[in-house]
């Protein structure tokens, strides 16, 4: 079929573009190899994710129990601190006081009194 | 030889899905390549776009419902891929370089079988915006009906006619200027 653009018969009778010899055979085999490799990689990824999910499913009750325990500990600590002192700072720590000797406690008390007097300008 | 429907059926069977897709690639790689090559003009670019086309098709074949023919569906993917490629390269290249290079290089391209006039036509086509280039190729070289083009491109027949008319005018102007 002949057609013209601006009176120029340009429509080619055959195909204008050629390809290298054996191009389509090569293209098909290379493409299929690429597809299979990509699929295999995806399967491996899926397998890994599935294994992790399975492991997590087994672990979940323990994780939940640990979370509940941690929450309970934090909650009890919060209440302990709140009840011990209105300012929110616990002043009675048995662990600390047990380790201090009487003289150390007396020193600490003297230091506190001195600082207190100095701060408020109280003379002895 | 299996029909497209049989091949699509076979694709759902994991044991023979690769063979079925390979058959589809064998069947459609050549016609799709030629469509793509007319748009992008260079073999290496056409090779890349064709590969992307089939990779996209493989990824989406599970969602293909058979509402259109397999060939139409593949054609649509190929054109979209080619359009994406053209839009990307058009913004990357300067227009002048593309124009100067096109005809000269095409004639020295061992995979181009046309004469000087045909190389010049390809040069003129390469100056068209990507969508107009697609419309022109489909109408002028493939002698496709506007309705069929509309089905593939998802554009109205009126818009396609206008697009083709504009493309022809631009090509005529190109030849007028150079004669």
């Amino acid at each position: 079929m002949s057609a013209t653009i601006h009176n120029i018969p340009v429509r080619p009778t055959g195909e204008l573009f050629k390809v290298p010899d054996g191009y389509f055979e090569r293209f098909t085999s290379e493409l299929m190899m690429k597809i299979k490799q990509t699929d295999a990689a995806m399967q491996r990824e899926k397998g890994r994710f599935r294994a992790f999910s399975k492991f997590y499913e087994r672990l979940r009750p323990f994780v939940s129990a640990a979370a509940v325990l941690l929450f309970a500990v934090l909650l009890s600590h919060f209440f302990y601190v709140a009840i011990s002192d209105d300012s929110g700072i616990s002043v009675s720590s048995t662990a600390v006081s047990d380790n201090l000797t009487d003289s150390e406690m007396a020193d600490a008390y003297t230091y506190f009194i001195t600082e207190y007097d100095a701060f408020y300008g109280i003379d002895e | 030889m299996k029909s497209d429907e049989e091949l699509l059926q076979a694709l759902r069977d994991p044991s023979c899905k690769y063979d079925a897709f390979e058959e589809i690639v064998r069947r459609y790689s050549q016609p799709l390549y030629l469509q793509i090559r007319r748009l992008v003009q260079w073999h290496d670019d056409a090779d890349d776009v064709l590969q992307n086309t089939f990779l996209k098709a493989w990824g989406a074949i599970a969602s293909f419902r058979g509402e259109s023919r397999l060939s139409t569906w593949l054609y649509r993917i190929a054109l979209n891929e080619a359009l994406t490629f053209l839009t990307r390269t058009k913004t990357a290249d300067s227009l002048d370089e593309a124009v100067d290079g096109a005809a000269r290089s095409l004639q020295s391209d061992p995979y181009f079988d046309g004469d000087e006039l045909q190389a010049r036509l390809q040069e003129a086509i390469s100056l068209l915006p990507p969508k107009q280039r697609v419309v022109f190729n489909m109408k002028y070289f493939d002698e496709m009906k506007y309705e069929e083009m509309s089905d593939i491109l998802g554009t109205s027949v009126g818009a396609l006619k206008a697009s083709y008319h504009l493309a022809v005018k631009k090509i005529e102007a190109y030849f007028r200027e150079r004669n």
Side-chain angles (χ1 to χ4, degrees):
Chain A
M1 185 170 177
S2 68
T4 58
I5 289 180
H6 196 58
N7 296 323
I8 302 168
V10 283
R11 178 178 283 154
T13 47
E15 191 47 63
L16 280 178
F17 299 106
K18 295 188 293 182
V19 291
D21 288 337
Y23 166 73
F24 291 110
E25 289 75 24
R26 235 182 2 259
F27 173 83
T28 306
S29 59
E30 281 172 10
L31 179 83
M32 290 315 294
M33 199 188 296
K34 195 170 184 175
I35 284 175
K36 284 174 187 170
Q37 280 171 353
T38 312
D39 278 8
M42 273 172 68
Q43 284 303 322
R44 274 199 301 275
E45 259 326 287
K46 270 186 190 169
R48 246 179 251 154
F49 180 73
R50 222 174 286 139
F52 175 76
S53 302
K54 231 175 187 176
F55 174 69
Y56 180 72
E57 277 303 311
R58 279 192 201 156
L59 208 67
R60 205 160 66 169
F62 301 104
V63 173
S64 306
V68 168
L69 196 68
L70 184 69
F71 180 71
V73 167
L74 285 173
L75 204 65
S76 63
H77 179 72
F78 171 76
F79 278 116
Y80 173 72
V81 168
I83 290 164
S84 313
D85 190 80
D86 283 346
S87 63
I89 302 161
S90 176
V91 289
S92 67
S93 171
T94 50
V96 173
S97 58
D98 284 352
N99 292 331
L100 290 177
T101 59
D102 289 347
S103 63
E104 278 171 339
M105 284 183 77
D107 285 349
Y109 178 73
T110 313
Y111 175 75
F112 171 74
I113 292 297
T114 316
E115 287 295 310
Y116 183 88
D117 290 350
F119 184 77
Y120 289 103
I122 301 167
D123 293 328
E124 280 186 30
Chain B
M1 199 170 85
K2 284 181 178 173
S3 68
D4 283 356
E5 285 70 28
E6 285 171 327
L7 287 174
L8 286 169
Q9 199 71 34
L11 275 169
R12 293 191 188 99
D13 180 358
S15 66
C16 56
K17 63 177 183 178
Y18 291 118
D19 291 337
F21 194 72
E22 188 166 343
E23 181 57 37
I24 289 173
V25 175
R26 280 188 202 287
R27 193 172 293 180
Y28 290 107
S29 55
Q30 197 161 349
L32 287 179
Y33 172 87
L34 291 174
Q35 297 300 336
I36 294 166
R37 180 79 189 271
R38 277 188 208 143
L39 290 169
V40 302
Q41 295 185 338
W42 301 100
H43 169 70
D44 288 345
D45 297 339
D47 181 48
D48 283 347
V49 174
L50 185 66
Q51 196 177 111
N52 288 343
T53 300
F54 280 115
L55 289 175
K56 281 257 169 78
W58 173 251
I61 201 112
S63 61
F64 177 65
R65 296 179 195 286
E67 285 161 0
S68 59
R69 284 186 300 166
L70 179 65
S71 56
T72 307
W73 184 68
L74 288 171
Y75 200 173
R76 203 177 291 149
I77 298 175
L79 285 178
N80 281 333
E81 283 300 307
L83 277 173
T84 307
F85 174 84
L86 288 174
T87 314
R88 205 173 51 223
T89 48
K90 194 119 191 171
T91 49
D93 297 342
S94 94
L95 196 62
D96 288 343
E97 278 172 20
V99 175
D100 290 345
R104 202 171 45 232
S105 310
L106 259 184
Q107 282 181 73
S108 60
D109 184 353
Y111 302 120
F112 179 73
D113 209 13
D115 55 18
E116 192 195 333
L117 196 61
Q118 281 151 357
R120 283 175 61 199
L121 174 64
Q122 290 303 318
E123 184 187 311
I125 293 170
S126 73
L127 295 174
L128 298 173
K131 195 74 188 272
Q132 268 178 30
R133 202 191 295 195
V134 170
V135 173
F136 183 81
N137 276 330
M138 288 169 106
K139 188 70 193 160
Y140 190 75
F141 291 110
D142 299 336
E143 299 175 71
M144 220 178 251
K145 288 180 179 145
Y146 283 115
E147 286 73 19
E148 205 178 339
M149 288 162 67
S150 171
D151 188 34
I152 293 168
L153 295 172
T155 312
S156 70
V157 169
L160 289 172
K161 281 181 181 172
S163 198
Y164 181 67
H165 179 74
L166 270 174
V168 169
K169 288 282 164 215
K170 282 181 189 172
I171 291 171
E172 281 178 348
Y174 171 88
F175 277 107
R176 229 182 356 257
E177 278 167 22
R178 278 158 179 78
N179 276 341

